[in-house]
Amino acid sequence: MNEDNGCLFCKIASGEIPSKKVYEDEKVFAFLDINPRNPGHTLVIPKKHFTTISDMSEEEYGELFSRAKYVANGVQKGTKSDGLSVVQSNGKAAGQVVTHVHVHLIPRYMSEGPVSLEGVLSVKKFPDETLDSVASSIKGSIGKSSEKKEEYDF
Ligand code: 5GP
Ligand code: ZN
């Protein structure tokens, strides 16, 4: 299942590099982040190597995220957190450091002073024409961005 590509998370999924595992099944492996933003900060990764979600079929993406949801329930219950952030970054520009797809499950607490999305990325104002143009570009690109899209036609 794992490729011999020197990938850190492939090695964690195979057990070659130790981790604090919280869950495993045939498709995913979940373990504690070595630099937790809060106790219980968990990473859920596909056992198969993908660099970003663009490399995954809709089915593979669905398998990862449905299992991440399953693990998320356990993280929230197990940490008794007030909330939970689900974070998934693709590409350097988005802050992805480890180039094996991973979903962060981060327990959140009212006591830490909630940080909303605005705390990470500030709101910017754009002219209406810019928004119309980008909406049109996205509409025209949906169904064309993934090579594997033809398997699924929503
Ligand atoms: P990214 O910034 O790519 O979204 O997240 C990568 C995450 O992997 C970081 O939060 C980082 O702390 C975590 N990480 C990096 N190396 C290791 C490791 O060897 N073991 C574990 N458990 N987590 C790691
Ligand atoms: Zn990998």
Side-chain angles (χ1 to χ4, degrees), residues 5 7-11 48-50 99-100:
N5 57 6
C7 170
L8 171 66
F9 281 3
C10 281
K11 288 180 177 164
K48 189 172 168 191
H49 181 90
F50 301 101
T99 52
H100 179 127

mmCIF file of all heavy atoms in Angstrom, residues 5 7-11 48-50 99-100, ligand 2:
data_model
loop_
_atom_site.group_PDB
_atom_site.id
_atom_site.type_symbol
_atom_site.label_atom_id
_atom_site.label_comp_id
_atom_site.label_asym_id
_atom_site.label_seq_id
_atom_site.Cartn_x
_atom_site.Cartn_y
_atom_site.Cartn_z
ATOM 1 N N ASN A 5 9.069 5.895 -1.014
ATOM 2 C CA ASN A 5 9.390 7.192 -1.605
ATOM 3 C C ASN A 5 10.033 8.152 -0.612
ATOM 4 O O ASN A 5 10.152 9.343 -0.881
ATOM 5 C CB ASN A 5 8.104 7.828 -2.165
ATOM 6 C CG ASN A 5 7.054 7.964 -1.068
ATOM 7 O OD1 ASN A 5 7.335 7.690 0.102
ATOM 8 N ND2 ASN A 5 5.860 8.397 -1.425
ATOM 9 N N CYS A 7 8.786 9.197 2.025
ATOM 10 C CA CYS A 7 7.777 10.081 2.624
ATOM 11 C C CYS A 7 7.616 9.775 4.122
ATOM 12 O O CYS A 7 7.379 8.633 4.513
ATOM 13 C CB CYS A 7 6.445 9.899 1.900
ATOM 14 S SG CYS A 7 5.065 10.723 2.711
ATOM 15 N N LEU A 8 7.702 10.837 4.926
ATOM 16 C CA LEU A 8 7.587 10.702 6.385
ATOM 17 C C LEU A 8 6.267 10.047 6.796
ATOM 18 O O LEU A 8 6.249 9.118 7.615
ATOM 19 C CB LEU A 8 7.702 12.098 7.019
ATOM 20 C CG LEU A 8 7.399 12.225 8.509
ATOM 21 C CD1 LEU A 8 8.439 11.465 9.323
ATOM 22 C CD2 LEU A 8 7.356 13.690 8.916
ATOM 23 N N PHE A 9 5.150 10.523 6.220
ATOM 24 C CA PHE A 9 3.852 10.005 6.653
ATOM 25 C C PHE A 9 3.596 8.587 6.121
ATOM 26 O O PHE A 9 2.886 7.809 6.759
ATOM 27 C CB PHE A 9 2.728 10.969 6.272
ATOM 28 C CG PHE A 9 2.622 12.155 7.217
ATOM 29 C CD1 PHE A 9 3.518 12.335 8.269
ATOM 30 C CD2 PHE A 9 1.600 13.092 7.062
ATOM 31 C CE1 PHE A 9 3.418 13.414 9.139
ATOM 32 C CE2 PHE A 9 1.490 14.178 7.933
ATOM 33 C CZ PHE A 9 2.397 14.344 8.962
ATOM 34 N N CYS A 10 4.182 8.224 4.969
ATOM 35 C CA CYS A 10 4.095 6.823 4.514
ATOM 36 C C CYS A 10 4.796 5.931 5.535
ATOM 37 O O CYS A 10 4.314 4.831 5.847
ATOM 38 C CB CYS A 10 4.734 6.651 3.135
ATOM 39 S SG CYS A 10 3.700 7.182 1.752
ATOM 40 N N LYS A 11 5.917 6.430 6.049
ATOM 41 C CA LYS A 11 6.680 5.641 7.030
ATOM 42 C C LYS A 11 5.935 5.548 8.358
ATOM 43 O O LYS A 11 6.006 4.521 9.043
ATOM 44 C CB LYS A 11 8.073 6.248 7.226
ATOM 45 C CG LYS A 11 8.960 6.015 6.025
ATOM 46 C CD LYS A 11 10.344 6.601 6.200
ATOM 47 C CE LYS A 11 11.190 6.257 4.981
ATOM 48 N NZ LYS A 11 12.383 7.057 4.874
ATOM 49 N N LYS A 48 -2.498 5.212 1.484
ATOM 50 C CA LYS A 48 -1.894 5.353 0.157
ATOM 51 C C LYS A 48 -1.330 6.777 0.041
ATOM 52 O O LYS A 48 -1.948 7.727 0.534
ATOM 53 C CB LYS A 48 -2.983 5.114 -0.889
ATOM 54 C CG LYS A 48 -2.502 5.014 -2.298
ATOM 55 C CD LYS A 48 -3.658 4.589 -3.209
ATOM 56 C CE LYS A 48 -3.287 4.749 -4.662
ATOM 57 N NZ LYS A 48 -4.447 4.610 -5.538
ATOM 58 N N HIS A 49 -0.202 6.921 -0.613
ATOM 59 C CA HIS A 49 0.411 8.241 -0.746
ATOM 60 C C HIS A 49 -0.287 9.106 -1.800
ATOM 61 O O HIS A 49 -0.420 8.702 -2.958
ATOM 62 C CB HIS A 49 1.899 8.126 -1.111
ATOM 63 C CG HIS A 49 2.562 9.458 -1.228
ATOM 64 N ND1 HIS A 49 3.166 10.086 -0.164
ATOM 65 C CD2 HIS A 49 2.675 10.315 -2.267
ATOM 66 C CE1 HIS A 49 3.631 11.256 -0.543
ATOM 67 N NE2 HIS A 49 3.344 11.423 -1.834
ATOM 68 N N PHE A 50 -0.718 10.291 -1.377
ATOM 69 C CA PHE A 50 -1.193 11.333 -2.286
ATOM 70 C C PHE A 50 -0.534 12.620 -1.804
ATOM 71 O O PHE A 50 -0.444 12.852 -0.591
ATOM 72 C CB PHE A 50 -2.713 11.524 -2.199
ATOM 73 C CG PHE A 50 -3.515 10.292 -2.512
ATOM 74 C CD1 PHE A 50 -4.045 9.538 -1.484
ATOM 75 C CD2 PHE A 50 -3.753 9.906 -3.814
ATOM 76 C CE1 PHE A 50 -4.798 8.405 -1.743
ATOM 77 C CE2 PHE A 50 -4.509 8.767 -4.090
ATOM 78 C CZ PHE A 50 -5.033 8.017 -3.057
ATOM 79 N N THR A 99 4.217 16.706 2.546
ATOM 80 C CA THR A 99 3.563 16.502 1.246
ATOM 81 C C THR A 99 2.943 15.106 1.116
ATOM 82 O O THR A 99 3.189 14.381 0.133
ATOM 83 C CB THR A 99 4.568 16.766 0.104
ATOM 84 O OG1 THR A 99 5.736 15.985 0.339
ATOM 85 C CG2 THR A 99 4.932 18.226 0.018
ATOM 86 N N HIS A 100 2.178 14.737 2.114
ATOM 87 C CA HIS A 100 1.316 13.539 2.078
ATOM 88 C C HIS A 100 0.001 14.051 2.667
ATOM 89 O O HIS A 100 -0.005 14.601 3.781
ATOM 90 C CB HIS A 100 1.944 12.436 2.948
ATOM 91 C CG HIS A 100 1.154 11.164 3.029
ATOM 92 N ND1 HIS A 100 1.687 9.921 2.749
ATOM 93 C CD2 HIS A 100 -0.132 10.928 3.401
ATOM 94 C CE1 HIS A 100 0.774 8.986 2.933
ATOM 95 N NE2 HIS A 100 -0.349 9.570 3.335
HETATM 96 ZN ZN ZN B 2 3.451 9.476 1.751
#
